[in-house]
Amino acid sequence: MEFLAMHELSILRWVHILAMVYWLGGEWGVFQTSYHVTNPALSLEERKRHMETAYRIDILARTGIVLLLPLGLHMGKIFGFVPLLNGSGVWWMWLFFAIWLAMTWTAFIKRETDIGIMVTRAEESLRYPLIAGLLIVSFMAFAGSGPIVSGEFNQWYPAKMALYAFALCIGLFLRLVMRRWTERFRLLAMGPNAEQEAALAREIGMARMAAYIYWITIASVCFLGAVKPF
């Protein structure tokens, strides 16, 4: 315990870097695999195998994105940016994100079932108030009020938080596309379906455009955390 207390910030920073790497790398893996998932020239079984691969890669990215926020908040507490988390507040914060992470993994493990789809939708619904809350406290911090304390040369912290919230918005859309893969492949398993194939092609086209914005946003979050430019 003494070792953990002595190196708390360094350990948090290390895990934060790992989470960012898995987030960025995982999204690239899913992006590449999606070409095979939506390729109608392949057999349905082969496309489903690629979809399984995409899900297995994506769970690392999902884990990374969930962990980044509590890690960032915990480090923010150490820097004095989030006094609300002093004392027992940090443990309540970690409990909340542990539940969120448990929902994420439950949705992954049960992804081929109705329960999995239900948990996925519940996890997606959880993001809406979280995104709104992050944006509100970020802009309050810019205005010099609210639970996030940041002054001159510390505006990078709420800026990073706002960009993370924006990334969650894009992630919501990409999660929706992947959830629809499962639903559409259930229909395709019943036989050829031109309508479902067209919907897959349309959705993956929009998802790929969103992915480029996603990577730029992730890179910007990394830049703010590493350089702290303002």
Side-chain angles (χ1 to χ4, degrees):
M1 292 301 292
E2 183 180 349
F3 176 84
L4 293 176
M6 184 181 303
H7 300 282
E8 180 181 9
L9 181 59
S10 297
I11 292 171
L12 288 169
R13 187 182 291 117
W14 169 61
V15 180
H16 193 271
I17 292 170
L18 287 178
M20 185 67 73
V21 168
Y22 280 117
W23 182 18
L24 184 57
E27 295 297 344
W28 175 254
V30 174
F31 179 85
Q32 293 300 319
T33 308
S34 69
Y35 284 96
H36 303 296
V37 174
T38 58
N39 185 357
L42 301 177
S43 69
L44 184 61
E45 286 304 313
E46 187 171 356
R47 291 166 70 185
K48 289 181 72 174
R49 283 195 295 272
H50 285 297
M51 183 172 70
E52 175 69 14
T53 300
Y55 270 110
R56 289 180 178 273
I57 296 171
D58 187 58
I59 188 57
L60 294 178
R62 293 192 188 199
T63 300
I65 195 173
V66 171
L67 286 175
L68 279 171
L69 184 53
L71 288 166
L73 289 173
H74 196 143
M75 287 189 287
K77 177 190 81 76
I78 295 173
F79 288 131
F81 299 150
V82 196
L84 186 67
L85 296 181
N86 289 334
S88 63
V90 70
W91 298 110
W92 287 109
M93 181 270 293
W94 274 108
L95 177 61
F96 170 80
F97 284 103
I99 293 171
W100 183 11
L101 190 59
M103 292 176 66
T104 299
W105 274 87
T106 300
F108 165 70
I109 294 169
K110 299 290 186 181
R111 61 193 175 281
E112 295 293 338
T113 68
D114 292 334
I115 292 176
I117 293 175
M118 180 182 67
V119 174
T120 299
R121 287 174 174 163
E123 193 266 349
E124 289 171 359
S125 299
L126 178 65
R127 295 189 181 211
Y128 293 109
L130 181 61
I131 290 169
L134 288 173
L135 290 174
I136 289 170
V137 299
S138 296
F139 290 118
M140 288 176 69
F142 291 136
S145 62
I148 303 298
V149 179
S150 64
E152 190 177 5
F153 305 119
N154 289 324
Q155 296 294 329
W156 62 270
Y157 188 79
K160 183 181 176 185
M161 187 176 291
L163 274 180
Y164 176 85
F166 177 64
L168 284 181
C169 293
I170 303 173
L172 268 175
F173 172 68
L174 297 177
R175 297 290 83 77
L176 175 64
V177 170
M178 289 197 71
R179 173 160 57 81
R180 285 181 175 174
W181 282 358
T182 300
E183 296 170 346
R184 296 197 190 285
F185 270 85
R186 284 183 178 183
L187 296 174
L188 288 172
M190 300 176 186
N193 190 319
E195 181 181 353
Q196 294 301 318
E197 293 286 7
L200 272 173
R202 182 175 62 254
E203 289 167 359
I204 201 63
M206 292 187 292
R208 284 172 186 151
M209 290 299 296
Y212 290 117
I213 302 173
Y214 205 25
W215 293 327
I216 294 171
T217 304
I218 296 170
S220 300
V221 171
C222 292
F223 178 81
L224 289 175
V227 180
K228 302 176 177 57
F230 52 83

